[in-house]
Amino acid sequence: MSQRQRGGGQPMIIMGEDSQRVKDKDAQEYNISAARAVAEAVRSTLGPKGMDKMLVDSMGDVTITNDGVTILEEMDIDNPTAEMIVEVAETQEEEAGDGTTTAVAIAGELLKNAEELLEQDIHPTAVIKGFHLASEQAREEIEDISREIDPSDTELLAKVAETSMTGKGAELDKEHLAQLIVEAVEAVTVEAEDGSHVVDLANLNIETQKGRGVSESDLLNGAVISKDPVHDNMPSEVADADTLLLDAAIEVDEADVDTNVSIDSPDQLQSFLDQEEQELREKVDAIVETGADVVFCQKGIDDLAQHYLAKEGILAIRRVKSSDIGFLKNVLGGNVVSTFDGLSSDDLGHGSISRDEDDEMFYVEGDDSHGVTLLLRGSTDHVGDELERCVVYTLVDYSEAVVIGNV
């Protein structure tokens, strides 16, 4: 569709042949039908008997879930009223962290009832006023039935977590997962000066691993890094380690612009290679001088640098995710360093690093750790992804119950 300005100042709208214009009562019915269709798409996923949906995007990637927001995000919606239903789910997700499917289903039912009222020639303004009155009454009822709880009442709060997992793919193991969630939230909950409880979910990391049963999920005090040592001769465990978090490549610095190097003799080539080797040697020496036993590097590590580090007995792990580097800072302390200039022992963190060869991951525990990791295990990637979504929403529900003190 395009617009052209006519002489009188009114835009002239040019539409495609397959376009159609709907107005008045027909537009009302059309918009309500579109919004209800979106609500019906997720309604079958609601409740203990809710069913999962298999979603296939344009790239062929498959997602299996019964989470309302995930389903709505994958849907291709171009109707403005239907998009408002999606906004209902997104708002519910931002404000409460869960209940998105319920919010959309209720919105669909309200529209259904509104349509019946409109057919009786009741004006839309009167219907809207009735919805506002019902909203006020619902809030009063919630105030009456809610009750205060003690945040230390973990048994009751565990039931909150179990309820949130009802109808999700993790329901068969919800008791075990609920207990893990209780322990995880307790680990990252601190008491403020005014006596209130603050749940810092930034200190809680969630990792998934396939090939194991959900019942084998575990809560670890520290971080989990699913990486291998960069060199076979490096140690796999360091009990009392000084650790360096590096946001810089241990590689030869590249020029900012394209350059050409003319070499006239083998000696010049050797001199050029020697300079690169010397540069790598200086970077490794800077790490060694700090006293670091372990290096977590967010970027690459040159093969020659790997050899030097292994020779010094330093464990190095490369291509660590930025989010993991930030979490390791919470666990180990120290600083995230982005340059080798001024590198010192003051930048180091402290902790213990151990290797699980079966799971092919490192367990990292800090001396005074402020972070815990919830390791979720599932038989396949799809199970792990859905399990993670379920636990994330449950964590939000549970942590809000701890903070607010009522359910």
Side-chain angles (χ1 to χ4, degrees), residues 150-236:
D150 185 353
S152 63
D153 188 354
T154 55
E155 183 178 351
L156 181 57
L157 289 172
K159 292 180 181 179
V160 174
E162 290 181 22
T163 300
S164 183
M165 278 186 278
T166 301
K168 301 288 196 302
E171 187 172 357
L172 294 176
D173 298 281
K174 65 181 182 181
E175 293 183 3
H176 174 62
L177 292 173
Q179 186 59 39
L180 293 180
I181 289 171
V182 169
E183 295 173 2
V185 173
E186 283 182 341
V188 297
T189 299
V190 295
E191 187 172 345
E193 294 180 357
D194 59 358
S196 62
H197 293 80
V198 179
V199 181
D200 188 3
L201 292 180
N203 285 328
L204 174 60
N205 197 27
I206 298 178
E207 294 287 341
T208 58
Q209 184 186 47
K210 67 177 181 179
R212 306 271 288 274
V214 177
S215 61
E216 296 182 67
S217 298
D218 199 6
L219 180 68
L220 305 172
N221 183 29
V224 172
I225 305 297
S226 299
K227 293 286 185 179
D228 296 317
V230 295
H231 198 282
D232 293 337
N233 293 334
M234 288 180 174
S236 59

Coordinates of all heavy atoms in Angstrom, one line a residue, residues 150-236:
D150 N 5.7 -16.4 56.3 CA 7.1 -16.1 56.7 C 8.0 -16.6 55.6 O 7.9 -17.8 55.2 CB 7.3 -16.9 58.0 CG 8.7 -16.6 58.6 OD1 9.5 -15.9 57.9 OD2 9.0 -17.1 59.7
P151 N 8.9 -15.7 55.1 CA 9.8 -16.1 54.0 C 10.6 -17.3 54.4 O 11.2 -18.0 53.5 CB 10.6 -14.9 53.8 CG 9.8 -13.8 54.2 CD 9.0 -14.3 55.4
S152 N 10.8 -17.6 55.7 CA 11.6 -18.8 56.1 C 10.7 -20.1 56.1 O 11.3 -21.1 56.4 CB 12.1 -18.5 57.5 OG 11.1 -18.4 58.5
D153 N 9.5 -20.0 55.8 CA 8.6 -21.2 55.7 C 8.8 -21.8 54.4 O 8.0 -21.7 53.4 CB 7.1 -20.8 55.9 CG 6.2 -22.0 56.0 OD1 6.7 -23.1 55.8 OD2 5.0 -21.8 56.2
T154 N 9.9 -22.6 54.3 CA 10.3 -23.2 53.0 C 9.4 -24.2 52.5 O 9.2 -24.4 51.3 CB 11.7 -23.8 53.1 OG1 11.8 -24.7 54.2 CG2 12.8 -22.7 53.4
E155 N 8.7 -24.9 53.4 CA 7.7 -25.9 53.0 C 6.6 -25.3 52.2 O 6.2 -25.9 51.2 CB 7.2 -26.7 54.3 CG 6.3 -27.8 53.9 CD 5.8 -28.6 55.2 OE1 6.3 -28.3 56.3 OE2 4.9 -29.4 55.0
L156 N 6.0 -24.2 52.7 CA 5.0 -23.6 52.0 C 5.4 -23.0 50.7 O 4.8 -23.1 49.7 CB 4.3 -22.5 52.9 CG 3.1 -21.8 52.3 CD1 2.0 -22.7 51.9 CD2 2.6 -20.7 53.3
L157 N 6.6 -22.4 50.7 CA 7.1 -21.8 49.5 C 7.5 -22.8 48.5 O 7.4 -22.5 47.3 CB 8.4 -20.9 49.8 CG 8.1 -19.6 50.6 CD1 9.3 -18.9 51.0 CD2 7.2 -18.7 49.7
A158 N 7.9 -24.0 48.9 CA 8.1 -25.1 48.0 C 6.8 -25.5 47.2 O 6.9 -25.8 46.1 CB 8.7 -26.3 48.7
K159 N 5.7 -25.4 47.9 CA 4.4 -25.6 47.3 C 4.1 -24.6 46.2 O 3.5 -24.9 45.2 CB 3.3 -25.7 48.3 CG 3.4 -26.9 49.3 CD 2.3 -26.9 50.3 CE 2.4 -28.0 51.3 NZ 1.3 -28.0 52.3
V160 N 4.6 -23.3 46.5 CA 4.4 -22.3 45.5 C 5.2 -22.7 44.2 O 4.7 -22.5 43.1 CB 4.9 -20.9 46.0 CG1 4.9 -19.9 44.9 CG2 4.1 -20.5 47.2
A161 N 6.4 -23.1 44.4 CA 7.2 -23.5 43.3 C 6.6 -24.7 42.5 O 6.6 -24.7 41.3 CB 8.6 -23.9 43.7
E162 N 6.0 -25.7 43.3 CA 5.4 -26.9 42.7 C 4.2 -26.4 41.9 O 3.9 -27.0 40.8 CB 5.0 -27.9 43.7 CG 6.2 -28.6 44.4 CD 5.8 -29.6 45.4 OE1 4.7 -30.1 45.3 OE2 6.6 -29.9 46.3
T163 N 3.4 -25.5 42.4 CA 2.2 -25.1 41.7 C 2.6 -24.4 40.4 O 1.9 -24.6 39.4 CB 1.4 -24.1 42.6 OG1 1.0 -24.7 43.8 CG2 0.2 -23.6 41.9
S164 N 3.6 -23.6 40.4 CA 4.1 -22.9 39.2 C 4.5 -23.9 38.1 O 4.4 -23.6 36.9 CB 5.2 -21.9 39.5 OG 5.6 -21.2 38.4
M165 N 5.0 -25.0 38.5 CA 5.5 -26.0 37.6 C 4.4 -27.0 37.1 O 4.6 -27.7 36.1 CB 6.6 -26.9 38.2 CG 8.0 -26.2 38.1 SD 9.3 -27.2 38.7 CE 9.1 -27.0 40.4
T166 N 3.2 -26.9 37.7 CA 2.1 -27.8 37.3 C 1.7 -27.5 35.8 O 1.5 -26.3 35.4 CB 0.9 -27.5 38.2 OG1 1.3 -27.8 39.5 CG2 -0.2 -28.4 37.8
G167 N 1.6 -28.5 35.1 CA 1.3 -28.4 33.6 C 2.4 -28.2 32.7 O 2.3 -28.2 31.5
K168 N 3.6 -28.0 33.3 CA 4.8 -27.9 32.5 C 5.5 -29.3 32.3 O 5.1 -30.3 32.9 CB 5.8 -27.0 33.2 CG 5.3 -25.6 33.4 CD 5.2 -24.8 32.2 CE 5.0 -23.3 32.4 NZ 3.9 -22.9 33.3
G169 N 6.5 -29.3 31.4 CA 7.1 -30.6 31.1 C 7.9 -31.2 32.3 O 8.2 -32.4 32.3
A170 N 8.1 -30.4 33.3 CA 8.9 -30.8 34.5 C 8.0 -31.3 35.6 O 8.5 -31.6 36.7 CB 9.8 -29.7 35.0
E171 N 6.8 -31.5 35.3 CA 5.8 -31.8 36.4 C 6.1 -33.1 37.1 O 6.0 -33.3 38.3 CB 4.4 -31.8 35.9 CG 3.4 -32.0 37.0 CD 1.9 -31.8 36.4 OE1 1.8 -31.5 35.2 OE2 1.0 -31.9 37.2
L172 N 6.7 -34.1 36.4 CA 6.9 -35.4 37.0 C 8.0 -35.3 38.1 O 8.1 -36.1 39.0 CB 7.3 -36.4 35.9 CG 6.2 -36.8 34.9 CD1 6.8 -37.7 33.8 CD2 5.1 -37.5 35.6
D173 N 8.9 -34.4 37.9 CA 10.0 -34.2 38.9 C 9.9 -32.9 39.6 O 10.9 -32.3 40.1 CB 11.4 -34.2 38.1 CG 11.6 -35.5 37.4 OD1 12.0 -36.5 38.1 OD2 11.4 -35.6 36.2
K174 N 8.7 -32.4 39.8 CA 8.5 -31.1 40.3 C 8.9 -31.0 41.8 O 9.4 -29.9 42.3 CB 7.0 -30.6 40.2 CG 6.0 -31.4 40.9 CD 4.6 -30.8 40.7 CE 3.6 -31.5 41.5 NZ 2.2 -31.0 41.2
E175 N 8.8 -32.1 42.6 CA 9.2 -32.0 44.0 C 10.7 -31.8 44.1 O 11.2 -31.0 44.9 CB 8.8 -33.3 44.7 CG 7.2 -33.4 44.8 CD 6.9 -34.7 45.6 OE1 7.8 -35.4 46.1 OE2 5.7 -35.0 45.8
H176 N 11.5 -32.6 43.3 CA 12.9 -32.4 43.3 C 13.3 -31.0 42.8 O 14.2 -30.4 43.5 CB 13.5 -33.5 42.4 CG 15.0 -33.4 42.3 ND1 15.9 -33.5 43.3 CD2 15.8 -33.1 41.2 CE1 17.2 -33.3 42.9 NE2 17.1 -33.1 41.6
L177 N 12.7 -30.6 41.7 CA 13.1 -29.2 41.2 C 12.7 -28.1 42.2 O 13.4 -27.1 42.3 CB 12.4 -29.1 39.9 CG 13.0 -29.9 38.7 CD1 12.1 -29.8 37.5 CD2 14.4 -29.6 38.4
A178 N 11.5 -28.3 42.8 CA 11.0 -27.3 43.8 C 12.0 -27.2 44.9 O 12.3 -26.1 45.4 CB 9.7 -27.6 44.3
Q179 N 12.6 -28.3 45.4 CA 13.5 -28.2 46.5 C 14.8 -27.5 46.0 O 15.4 -26.7 46.8 CB 13.9 -29.6 47.0 CG 14.8 -29.7 48.2 CD 14.2 -29.0 49.4 OE1 13.0 -29.0 49.6 NE2 15.0 -28.3 50.1
L180 N 15.2 -27.8 44.8 CA 16.4 -27.1 44.3 C 16.2 -25.6 44.2 O 17.1 -24.8 44.5 CB 16.8 -27.6 42.9 CG 17.3 -29.1 42.8 CD1 17.6 -29.4 41.4 CD2 18.5 -29.3 43.7
I181 N 15.0 -25.2 43.8 CA 14.6 -23.8 43.6 C 14.6 -23.1 45.0 O 15.1 -22.0 45.2 CB 13.3 -23.6 42.9 CG1 13.4 -24.0 41.4 CG2 12.7 -22.2 43.1 CD1 12.1 -24.1 40.7
V182 N 14.1 -23.8 46.0 CA 14.1 -23.3 47.4 C 15.5 -23.0 47.8 O 15.8 -21.9 48.4 CB 13.4 -24.3 48.3 CG1 13.6 -23.9 49.8 CG2 11.9 -24.3 48.1
E183 N 16.4 -24.0 47.6 CA 17.8 -23.9 48.1 C 18.5 -22.8 47.3 O 19.3 -22.0 47.8 CB 18.5 -25.2 47.9 CG 18.0 -26.3 48.8 CD 18.6 -27.7 48.5 OE1 19.5 -27.7 47.6 OE2 18.2 -28.6 49.1
A184 N 18.2 -22.7 46.0 CA 18.8 -21.6 45.1 C 18.4 -20.2 45.6 O 19.3 -19.3 45.7 CB 18.4 -21.9 43.7
V185 N 17.1 -20.0 45.8 CA 16.7 -18.7 46.2 C 17.2 -18.3 47.6 O 17.6 -17.2 47.8 CB 15.1 -18.6 46.2 CG1 14.6 -17.3 46.8 CG2 14.6 -18.8 44.7
E186 N 17.3 -19.3 48.5 CA 17.8 -19.1 49.8 C 19.3 -18.6 49.7 O 19.8 -17.8 50.4 CB 17.7 -20.3 50.7 CG 16.3 -20.6 51.2 CD 16.3 -21.8 52.1 OE1 17.2 -22.6 52.0 OE2 15.4 -21.9 52.9
A187 N 20.0 -19.2 48.7 CA 21.4 -19.0 48.6 C 21.7 -17.5 48.1 O 22.7 -17.0 48.4 CB 22.1 -20.0 47.7
V188 N 20.7 -17.0 47.4 CA 20.9 -15.6 46.8 C 20.0 -14.6 47.5 O 19.9 -13.5 46.9 CB 20.7 -15.6 45.3 CG1 21.7 -16.5 44.6 CG2 19.3 -16.0 44.9
T189 N 19.4 -14.9 48.6 CA 18.6 -14.0 49.3 C 19.4 -13.3 50.4 O 20.0 -14.0 51.2 CB 17.4 -14.7 49.9 OG1 16.6 -15.3 48.8 CG2 16.5 -13.7 50.6
V190 N 19.3 -12.0 50.5 CA 20.0 -11.3 51.6 C 18.9 -10.4 52.3 O 17.9 -10.0 51.7 CB 21.1 -10.4 51.0 CG1 22.2 -11.2 50.4 CG2 20.6 -9.4 50.0
E191 N 19.2 -10.1 53.5 CA 18.3 -9.2 54.3 C 18.8 -7.8 54.3 O 19.9 -7.5 54.6 CB 18.2 -9.7 55.7 CG 17.2 -9.0 56.6 CD 17.0 -9.7 57.9 OE1 17.4 -10.8 58.1 OE2 16.4 -9.0 58.8
A192 N 17.9 -6.9 53.9 CA 18.2 -5.5 53.8 C 18.2 -4.9 55.2 O 17.8 -5.5 56.2 CB 17.2 -4.8 52.9
E193 N 18.7 -3.6 55.2 CA 18.8 -2.9 56.5 C 17.4 -2.7 57.2 O 17.3 -2.7 58.4 CB 19.4 -1.5 56.3 CG 20.9 -1.7 55.9 CD 21.5 -0.3 55.7 OE1 20.8 0.7 55.8 OE2 22.7 -0.2 55.4
D194 N 16.4 -2.6 56.3 CA 15.0 -2.4 56.9 C 14.4 -3.7 57.3 O 13.2 -3.7 57.7 CB 14.2 -1.6 55.9 CG 14.0 -2.3 54.6 OD1 14.6 -3.4 54.4 OD2 13.3 -1.8 53.7
G195 N 15.1 -4.8 57.2 CA 14.5 -6.1 57.5 C 13.8 -6.9 56.4 O 13.4 -8.0 56.6
S196 N 13.7 -6.2 55.3 CA 13.1 -6.9 54.1 C 14.1 -7.8 53.5 O 15.3 -7.7 53.7 CB 12.6 -5.9 53.1 OG 13.7 -5.1 52.6
H197 N 13.5 -8.8 52.7 CA 14.3 -9.7 52.0 C 14.5 -9.4 50.5 O 13.5 -9.0 49.9 CB 13.7 -11.1 52.1 CG 13.7 -11.7 53.5 ND1 12.8 -11.3 54.5 CD2 14.6 -12.5 54.2 CE1 13.0 -11.9 55.6 NE2 14.1 -12.7 55.5
V198 N 15.7 -9.4 50.0 CA 16.0 -9.1 48.6 C 16.6 -10.3 48.0 O 17.6 -10.9 48.4 CB 17.0 -7.9 48.5 CG1 17.3 -7.6 47.1 CG2 16.4 -6.7 49.2
V199 N 15.9 -10.8 46.9 CA 16.4 -11.9 46.1 C 17.2 -11.4 44.9 O 16.6 -10.8 44.0 CB 15.2 -12.8 45.7 CG1 15.8 -14.0 44.9 CG2 14.4 -13.3 46.9
D200 N 18.5 -11.7 44.9 CA 19.3 -11.2 43.8 C 19.5 -12.3 42.8 O 20.5 -13.1 42.9 CB 20.7 -10.7 44.3 CG 21.5 -10.0 43.3 OD1 21.0 -9.9 42.1 OD2 22.6 -9.6 43.6
L201 N 18.6 -12.4 41.8 CA 18.7 -13.5 40.8 C 19.9 -13.4 39.9 O 20.3 -14.3 39.2 CB 17.5 -13.6 40.0 CG 16.2 -14.0 40.8 CD1 15.0 -14.1 39.8 CD2 16.4 -15.4 41.4
A202 N 20.6 -12.2 40.0 CA 21.8 -12.0 39.2 C 22.9 -13.0 39.6 O 23.9 -13.3 38.9 CB 22.3 -10.6 39.2
N203 N 22.8 -13.4 40.9 CA 23.8 -14.3 41.5 C 23.5 -15.8 41.3 O 24.1 -16.7 41.8 CB 24.0 -14.0 42.9 CG 24.8 -12.8 43.2 OD1 25.7 -12.4 42.4 ND2 24.5 -12.1 44.3
L204 N 22.4 -16.0 40.5 CA 22.0 -17.4 40.2 C 22.1 -17.6 38.7 O 21.5 -16.9 37.9 CB 20.5 -17.6 40.6 CG 19.9 -18.9 40.2 CD1 20.6 -20.1 40.9 CD2 18.4 -19.0 40.7
N205 N 22.9 -18.6 38.3 CA 23.1 -19.0 36.9 C 22.4 -20.3 36.6 O 22.4 -21.2 37.5 CB 24.6 -19.1 36.6 CG 24.9 -19.0 35.2 OD1 24.1 -18.5 34.4 ND2 26.0 -19.7 34.7
I206 N 21.8 -20.4 35.4 CA 21.2 -21.6 35.0 C 21.9 -22.2 33.8 O 22.1 -21.5 32.8 CB 19.7 -21.4 34.7 CG1 18.9 -20.8 36.0 CG2 19.0 -22.6 34.2 CD1 17.5 -20.5 35.7
E207 N 22.2 -23.5 33.9 CA 22.9 -24.2 32.8 C 22.1 -25.5 32.5 O 21.5 -26.1 33.4 CB 24.3 -24.6 33.2 CG 25.3 -23.4 33.3 CD 25.6 -22.7 32.0 OE1 25.4 -23.4 31.0 OE2 26.1 -21.6 32.0
T208 N 22.1 -25.9 31.3 CA 21.4 -27.1 30.9 C 22.4 -28.1 30.3 O 23.4 -27.7 29.7 CB 20.3 -26.8 29.8 OG1 20.8 -26.2 28.7 CG2 19.2 -25.9 30.4
Q209 N 22.0 -29.4 30.5 CA 22.9 -30.4 30.0 C 22.0 -31.6 29.5 O 21.1 -32.0 30.2 CB 23.9 -30.9 31.1 CG 24.9 -31.9 30.6 CD 25.7 -32.5 31.8 OE1 25.1 -32.8 32.8 NE2 27.0 -32.5 31.6
K210 N 22.3 -32.1 28.3 CA 21.5 -33.1 27.8 C 22.1 -34.5 28.0 O 23.3 -34.6 28.3 CB 21.3 -32.9 26.3 CG 22.5 -33.1 25.4 CD 22.2 -33.0 23.9 CE 23.5 -33.1 23.1 NZ 23.2 -33.0 21.6
G211 N 21.3 -35.5 27.9 CA 21.8 -36.9 28.0 C 21.6 -37.5 29.4 O 22.0 -38.6 29.6
R212 N 21.0 -36.7 30.3 CA 20.7 -37.2 31.7 C 19.3 -37.0 32.0 O 18.6 -36.2 31.4 CB 21.7 -36.6 32.7 CG 23.1 -36.6 32.4 CD 23.8 -37.9 33.0 NE 23.9 -37.8 34.4 CZ 25.0 -37.2 35.0 NH1 25.9 -36.6 34.3 NH2 25.0 -37.1 36.3
G213 N 18.8 -37.7 33.1 CA 17.4 -37.5 33.5 C 17.2 -36.2 34.3 O 18.1 -35.7 34.9
V214 N 16.0 -35.7 34.3 CA 15.7 -34.5 35.0 C 15.9 -34.6 36.5 O 16.4 -33.7 37.2 CB 14.2 -34.1 34.8 CG1 13.8 -32.8 35.6 CG2 13.9 -33.8 33.3
S215 N 15.7 -35.8 37.0 CA 15.9 -36.1 38.4 C 17.4 -35.9 38.8 O 17.7 -35.9 40.0 CB 15.4 -37.5 38.8 OG 16.1 -38.5 38.0
E216 N 18.3 -35.9 37.9 CA 19.7 -35.8 38.2 C 20.1 -34.3 38.2 O 21.3 -34.0 38.3 CB 20.6 -36.5 37.2 CG 20.3 -38.1 37.3 CD 21.2 -38.8 36.3 OE1 22.4 -38.8 36.5 OE2 20.7 -39.4 35.3
S217 N 19.2 -33.4 38.0 CA 19.5 -31.9 38.1 C 20.1 -31.6 39.5 O 19.7 -32.3 40.5 CB 18.3 -31.1 37.8 OG 17.8 -31.3 36.5
D218 N 20.9 -30.6 39.6 CA 21.6 -30.4 40.9 C 21.9 -28.9 41.0 O 21.9 -28.1 40.0 CB 22.9 -31.1 40.9 CG 23.5 -31.3 42.3 OD1 22.8 -30.9 43.2 OD2 24.6 -31.8 42.4
L219 N 22.1 -28.5 42.3 CA 22.4 -27.1 42.6 C 23.9 -27.1 43.1 O 24.2 -27.8 44.0 CB 21.5 -26.5 43.7 CG 21.8 -25.1 44.1 CD1 21.5 -24.1 43.0 CD2 21.0 -24.7 45.4
L220 N 24.7 -26.3 42.4 CA 26.1 -26.2 42.7 C 26.5 -24.9 43.3 O 26.0 -23.8 42.8 CB 26.9 -26.5 41.4 CG 26.6 -27.8 40.7 CD1 27.3 -27.8 39.4 CD2 26.9 -29.0 41.5
N221 N 27.3 -24.9 44.3 CA 27.8 -23.7 44.9 C 29.0 -23.1 44.1 O 30.1 -23.5 44.3 CB 28.3 -23.9 46.3 CG 28.7 -22.6 47.0 OD1 28.2 -21.6 46.7 ND2 29.6 -22.7 48.0
G222 N 28.7 -22.2 43.1 CA 29.7 -21.7 42.2 C 29.2 -21.7 40.8 O 28.0 -21.6 40.5
A223 N 30.1 -21.8 39.9 CA 29.8 -21.8 38.5 C 30.2 -23.1 37.7 O 30.9 -23.9 38.2 CB 30.6 -20.6 37.8
V224 N 29.6 -23.2 36.6 CA 29.9 -24.4 35.7 C 30.3 -23.8 34.3 O 29.6 -23.0 33.7 CB 28.6 -25.3 35.6 CG1 28.9 -26.4 34.5 CG2 28.3 -25.9 36.9
I225 N 31.4 -24.3 33.9 CA 31.9 -23.9 32.5 C 32.1 -25.1 31.7 O 32.9 -26.0 31.9 CB 33.3 -23.2 32.7 CG1 33.2 -22.0 33.6 CG2 33.8 -22.7 31.3 CD1 32.2 -20.9 33.2
S226 N 31.3 -25.2 30.6 CA 31.3 -26.3 29.7 C 32.3 -26.1 28.6 O 32.0 -25.9 27.4 CB 29.9 -26.5 29.1 OG 28.9 -26.8 30.1
K227 N 33.6 -26.2 29.0 CA 34.7 -26.0 28.1 C 35.8 -27.0 28.4 O 35.8 -27.7 29.5 CB 35.3 -24.6 28.2 CG 34.3 -23.5 27.7 CD 34.2 -23.5 26.2 CE 33.4 -22.3 25.8 NZ 33.3 -22.2 24.3
D228 N 36.7 -27.2 27.5 CA 37.9 -28.0 27.7 C 39.1 -27.2 27.9 O 39.2 -26.0 27.4 CB 38.1 -29.0 26.5 CG 36.9 -29.9 26.3 OD1 36.5 -30.5 27.3 OD2 36.5 -30.1 25.2
P229 N 40.2 -27.7 28.5 CA 41.5 -27.0 28.6 C 42.0 -26.8 27.1 O 41.7 -27.6 26.3 CB 42.4 -27.9 29.4 CG 41.5 -28.8 30.1 CD 40.2 -29.0 29.3
V230 N 42.7 -25.7 26.9 CA 43.2 -25.4 25.5 C 44.4 -26.3 25.2 O 44.7 -26.4 24.0 CB 43.5 -23.9 25.4 CG1 42.3 -23.1 25.5 CG2 44.6 -23.5 26.4
H231 N 45.0 -27.0 26.1 CA 46.2 -27.8 25.9 C 46.1 -29.1 26.7 O 45.7 -29.0 27.9 CB 47.4 -27.0 26.2 CG 48.7 -27.6 25.6 ND1 49.3 -28.7 26.1 CD2 49.4 -27.2 24.5 CE1 50.4 -28.9 25.3 NE2 50.4 -28.1 24.3
D232 N 46.5 -30.2 26.1 CA 46.4 -31.5 26.8 C 47.3 -31.5 28.0 O 47.1 -32.3 29.0 CB 46.7 -32.6 25.9 CG 45.7 -32.8 24.8 OD1 44.5 -32.3 25.0 OD2 46.0 -33.3 23.7
N233 N 48.4 -30.8 28.0 CA 49.4 -30.9 29.1 C 49.0 -29.9 30.3 O 49.8 -29.8 31.3 CB 50.8 -30.6 28.6 CG 51.3 -31.6 27.7 OD1 50.9 -32.8 27.8 ND2 52.2 -31.3 26.8
M234 N 47.9 -29.3 30.2 CA 47.5 -28.4 31.3 C 46.8 -29.2 32.4 O 46.2 -30.2 32.2 CB 46.5 -27.3 30.8 CG 47.2 -26.3 29.9 SD 46.0 -25.0 29.3 CE 47.1 -23.9 28.5
P235 N 46.9 -28.7 33.7 CA 46.2 -29.4 34.8 C 44.7 -29.3 34.6 O 44.2 -28.3 34.0 CB 46.7 -28.7 36.0 CG 47.1 -27.3 35.5 CD 47.7 -27.5 34.1
S236 N 44.0 -30.2 35.1 CA 42.5 -30.2 35.0 C 41.9 -29.8 36.3 O 40.7 -29.5 36.4 CB 42.0 -31.6 34.6 OG 42.4 -32.6 35.5

